[in-house]
Amino acid sequence: MDLIYFSIIFFFVILLLVILYIVFSKVKQGIDHRKVSQLENEMQPIVDKYLESESGSIISENELIDLRKKVQTKTGLQAFNSIYFARVKQDGLTEKLHKLVTLIIDFQMLNNNRIVHNKYRKSYILYLCAEYYMNSEEVIKFALESLDDPSLYVRNNALRVLRNTGNVDAIIEAYRKISKGKLYFNNKVIVDFMGSFRGDMQELNKSLASHMAEFCPKIKRGILDHFTNRIISEYTDEILQFIEASSDKEIIIAGIRYFGVVHKQEAYPFIVEKFKSKHYEIRAVCARAIGFYPCEETITLLHEYIKDANWFVRYNCAFTLFRLEEEDIFNKDSSIRKVICEKDTFARDIMIYTLYSKGLINSDNDQVKLACFQIENVEKEERRDGFKTNHLVH
């Protein structure tokens, strides 16, 4: 009986403590919110006056000292962030706003500020360094060291910092560190950060091309994807030599995809050779890229591989044939007509499916009309009843 009473009392004590903690947290949040609002009201006129003056000289040294002192506190930094992000949203990051940040905020101040709990501090400090476009040696060193952190958020924010510094050497060093390490980095994040680099993009591209062999396969693929996305054609010789010497499937795929966007006739034999690959992914990307190099050999290869065992290879061949003959698609001598007249069911059906998906064949009352084609080499039943819709779906 005593144990039951003790358990009930213990339960109510715990419940009371939880309620007190919640009430205390709410009260503290309210107090902090009022402090932030008050500091924001005090700081806003000084920031506005600085940004609206022609030279910024209208701000006195005492006002700058006051701003520096305020942003060193948790609530002061929150108040300045509110002002800063509102300005960036309104006007973008102006040179004057960036200069004001450099006058009142430095890395050590951010590092000492307890704006968030210790568990999230490193990630948030890096986030602010990136948002403030801080590019001191101290910041770059901190960001590079953070690439080895176990937290994915820390590592991604470290990359954001390095991207926003506009420092090419820092980016190259970052990719070296990532290549030597074993921690995960999303390939899309790596590619996106290359494409949104805040410094000299031409200098970055030149450096990426010259250092590509030093990096791990993930970074190499990222560089190839970056060059493909931005259609960068200055380094085709280096890229062709690089992928010819590679045995990595993903790098070969990225390289073929690149030469399917950036024309280089010397890459054609490589694409033709890789059509014979045992990997269907390589054959599929070849079927797309080769359309950038129209000739009789290309048509012959597409006719051959539209009978491939893999659906994606067949579809890409059909799509490329369609693209090559789009202007002359209904000509009686077109390659598309020859494919449709093929005895190979897979080749014929994938070509019809491609035309259907492009809206060139209409389905009406469960019957597909191919009125523009004079198809001769098909079975009698198909000629009498037309191609049924079930021919189009696999």
Side-chain angles (χ1 to χ4, degrees):
M1 202 66 177
D2 291 340
L3 183 60
I4 295 175
Y5 286 135
F6 176 78
S7 299
I8 293 173
I9 293 171
F10 180 76
F11 171 76
F12 279 109
V13 169
I14 295 298
L15 182 62
L16 180 62
L17 289 174
V18 170
I19 292 172
L20 288 174
Y21 175 78
I22 293 173
V23 171
F24 175 78
S25 297
K26 292 290 184 182
V27 171
K28 188 175 183 304
Q29 285 178 6
I31 293 172
D32 288 345
H33 181 72
R34 286 193 294 273
K35 284 183 179 179
V36 170
S37 297
Q38 181 181 347
L39 285 169
E40 191 175 342
N41 290 333
E42 293 173 6
M43 297 166 75
Q44 186 77 60
I46 302 174
V47 173
D48 290 345
K49 188 163 61 171
Y50 179 88
L51 296 177
E52 291 166 9
S53 64
E54 291 186 4
S55 64
S57 58
I58 193 170
I59 302 298
S60 68
E61 184 63 28
N62 287 337
E63 288 173 315
L64 284 176
I65 291 172
D66 185 49
L67 281 178
R68 288 194 205 104
K69 185 177 179 180
K70 284 186 167 91
V71 297
Q72 290 178 20
T73 66
K74 173 182 174 180
T75 51
L77 187 57
Q78 288 175 332
F80 180 77
N81 284 343
S82 179
I83 296 169
Y84 175 83
F85 290 124
R87 275 286 185 168
V88 170
K89 184 177 181 180
Q90 177 182 315
D91 304 322
L93 182 66
T94 62
E95 184 179 346
K96 187 171 284 189
L97 181 58
H98 184 252
K99 185 177 179 181
L100 177 63
V101 171
T102 62
L103 288 172
I104 65 174
I105 295 176
D106 58 50
F107 173 72
Q108 283 303 325
M109 187 276 290
L110 285 180
N111 202 24
N112 294 331
N113 197 294
R114 300 294 168 179
I115 191 168
V116 293
H117 296 298
N118 285 340
K119 183 179 179 181
Y120 309 105
R121 279 187 66 249
K122 194 173 186 180
S123 178
Y124 195 67
I125 289 168
L126 288 164
Y127 166 76
L128 289 179
C129 286
E131 291 297 322
Y132 291 152
Y133 292 79
M134 300 174 75
N135 58 4
S136 67
E137 290 184 10
E138 198 173 20
V139 168
I140 291 173
K141 181 181 177 182
F142 179 68
L144 286 171
E145 291 173 350
S146 298
L147 292 173
D148 295 327
D149 194 275
S151 168
L152 180 61
Y153 297 104
V154 170
R155 299 198 300 274
N156 283 346
N157 279 332
L159 275 180
R160 292 182 70 248
V161 171
L162 295 168
R163 175 197 66 184
N164 288 357
T165 63
N167 188 313
V168 172
D169 292 336
I171 291 290
I172 298 301
E173 183 59 31
Y175 291 151
R176 286 197 186 105
K177 282 183 70 72
I178 293 172
S179 297
K180 292 176 182 177
K182 296 181 180 180
L183 295 174
Y184 171 78
F185 284 85
N186 184 278
N187 191 60
K188 187 177 185 303
V189 169
I190 291 173
V191 176
D192 287 347
F193 282 177
M194 289 180 192
S196 56
F197 179 64
R198 303 299 183 181
D200 188 325
M201 185 62 76
Q202 288 187 338
E203 184 183 348
L204 174 66
N205 293 337
K206 182 179 179 181
S207 194
L208 288 173
S210 62
H211 291 282
M212 187 158 53
E214 302 175 23
F215 304 134
C216 66
K218 179 185 286 288
I219 301 298
K220 291 173 182 175
R221 295 195 300 269
I223 293 170
L224 290 171
D225 288 344
H226 164 68
F227 285 171
T228 303
N229 294 342
R230 299 184 69 86
I231 317 179
I232 296 166
S233 58
E234 292 91 337
Y235 311 105
T236 54
D237 291 335
E238 294 90 330
I239 292 172
L240 181 57
Q241 291 175 12
F242 175 70
I243 64 172
E244 284 177 335
S246 178
S247 59
D248 185 286
K249 182 177 75 171
E250 296 301 326
I251 288 175
I252 291 171
I253 289 172
I256 294 171
R257 189 179 292 118
Y258 170 79
F259 285 113
V261 172
V262 177
H263 184 273
K264 183 175 179 63
Q265 195 59 41
E266 290 81 354
Y268 183 74
F270 178 79
I271 298 173
V272 171
E273 178 195 348
K274 291 304 175 183
F275 246 123
K276 303 172 186 176
S277 172
K278 64 180 181 180
H279 301 291
Y280 79 86
E281 300 97 333
I282 293 178
R283 300 197 305 275
V285 76
C286 284
R288 285 275 184 160
I290 206 167
F292 206 43
Y293 304 84
C295 64
E296 287 186 15
E297 185 179 3
T298 293
I299 299 297
T300 300
L301 278 167
L302 292 171
H303 270 285
E304 178 182 351
Y305 283 93
I306 202 171
K307 304 170 187 176
D308 194 274
N310 183 267
W311 188 92
F312 295 101
V313 178
R314 297 199 303 273
Y315 177 72
N316 283 356
C317 286
F319 178 88
T320 302
L321 276 174
F322 170 81
R323 188 157 56 88
L324 289 174
E325 297 192 343
E326 190 170 0
E327 299 298 323
D328 199 28
I329 195 169
F330 296 122
N331 189 293
K332 67 178 182 177
D333 296 322
S334 74
S335 297
I336 291 175
R337 179 179 180 274
K338 292 176 183 177
V339 172
I340 292 177
C341 292
E342 284 276 3
K343 291 182 179 180
D344 188 290
T345 303
F346 288 134
R348 189 173 70 238
D349 285 0
I350 200 68
M351 194 73 252
I352 293 173
Y353 175 76
T354 302
L355 295 173
Y356 182 79
S357 67
K358 295 295 180 181
L360 294 178
I361 300 175
N362 298 317
S363 178
D364 185 19
N365 295 327
D366 200 35
Q367 186 174 15
V368 176
K369 297 179 181 179
L370 296 171
C372 294
F373 291 97
Q374 297 299 318
I375 301 174
E376 301 166 354
N377 191 21
V378 292
E379 298 176 1
K380 291 181 179 179
E381 182 179 351
E382 290 176 325
R383 288 206 305 271
R384 185 179 68 250
D385 299 329
F387 285 99
K388 300 298 182 181
T389 304
N390 59 12
H391 285 283
L392 305 177
V393 182
H394 297 281

